Amino acid sequence: MKKLLLCIALVVSAMATAQKGSILVGGNVGYSSDKVGEAKKESFEFSPRFGYQFSENWTAGVDATIGSIHNDLADNSDNQKIGAFVRYSRPLNETFAIFADIGSGYQQNSINDAKGMYAYITPALFINMKRGFGLNFSIGGLNYDNIDGKNDPRQERIGLNFGKTMNIGISKNFSL
């Protein structure tokens, strides 16, 4: 009986992490600075996301990115992305859950008015800090993007990186 009650308590608390019918709000902020000799390059990126959890394990939503790169040796650029994502999550216990985001969208860059598409698959870990507020950790994923400018050749990139990068984000589920 105690084991059954413990199992029920774990399932209920895991479901409280992200319940069906809740709104997901989250995102990442990134900054990097590189200096080689006297040349300096700085980049900044802000990536908010909003989703709706329509079943116990599935969330769908939109994500966006606004970024800029300031480079002493080349043109500065601003970039934007807007797209949609689907998330499948699986609670492990009341504190931890694993999830995978699959998304795609449209991107543009201010250099030569370049435009294109992107897609990604990112597995991650969610740590529930308190009442659906938590930290998201990922160590890479699979991504594809293409971009085509007015005077530049079309660029296509496919990336598979696990363990090469680490992203930390925050998210909060709001019950409706």
Side-chain angles (χ1 to χ4, degrees), residues 139-150:
I139 58 168
L142 176 64
N143 57 47
Y144 167 81
D145 76 272
N146 66 55
I147 197 154
D148 196 4
K150 288 183 179 179

Side-chain angles (χ1 to χ4, degrees), residues 90-148:
R90 176 64 84 189
L92 300 175
N93 58 35
E94 64 185 48
T95 305
F96 297 101
I98 55 173
F99 66 89
D101 287 343
I102 300 171
S104 67
Y106 170 80
Q107 65 181 345
Q108 68 179 27
N109 189 305
S110 64
I111 296 178
N112 289 327
D113 196 28
K115 297 176 172 101
M117 304 297 289
Y118 68 93
Y120 62 89
I121 298 172
T122 306
L125 173 70
F126 174 77
I127 300 175
N128 185 18
M129 304 305 282
K130 187 174 185 181
R131 297 184 184 149
F133 174 79
L135 298 174
N136 302 308
F137 293 92
S138 69
I139 58 168
L142 176 64
N143 57 47
Y144 167 81
D145 76 272
N146 66 55
I147 197 154
D148 196 4

